[in-house]
Amino acid sequence: MVRGVHPKKEVRKAIKELRAAGWTIRVAAGGHSHRWGTATCPHQHPDGSGGLSRCARVIYGTPRNEGDHAEELRRALRRCGERLAPSRRQEDRDA
């Protein structure tokens, strides 16, 4: 199997959705246990301590349940958008 292609069909679909939304997918180099890679969002969010952080999720190469793992990745995508929504509303008010 090509290293840049996830072996599970449902997870591949979720990764495609993340990429379409602008998330960065980094495939892990060898020796990282069950981790296939990492997904990181393109947006910076307030982290509660006055700093900024990015949403990030580990993508497992051998998840127990591929459907659940794919849904977890999609949920991260939705939550990132929800965290971004209030700041977008603030920008609309400022304009």
Side-chain angles (χ1 to χ4, degrees):
M1 166 130 314
V2 177
R3 186 66 185 144
V5 178
H6 197 279
K8 303 293 184 180
K9 182 179 177 181
E10 287 296 318
V11 178
R12 276 196 308 264
K13 289 179 184 178
I15 291 171
K16 186 175 180 179
E17 292 172 26
L18 290 169
R19 282 190 173 127
W23 284 52
T24 302
I25 308 299
R26 288 202 174 98
V27 178
H32 285 86
S33 183
H34 296 285
R35 189 177 83 187
W36 179 85
T38 307
T40 309
C41 84
H43 311 290
Q44 292 184 339
H45 304 287
D47 66 5
S49 67
L52 296 173
S53 65
R54 295 184 188 273
C55 302
R57 288 291 178 267
V58 171
I59 303 170
Y60 296 107
T62 55
R64 283 186 185 178
N65 183 310
E66 71 177 279
D68 288 349
H69 188 50
E71 183 54 36
E72 178 186 337
L73 296 173
R74 290 183 182 106
R75 190 177 312 119
L77 178 61
R78 286 192 304 271
R79 286 184 178 166
C80 177
E82 290 168 2
R83 289 178 68 190
L84 192 61
S87 64
R88 284 186 180 163
R89 284 193 292 262
Q90 181 65 36
E91 290 173 4
D92 291 342
R93 277 187 250 137
D94 293 343

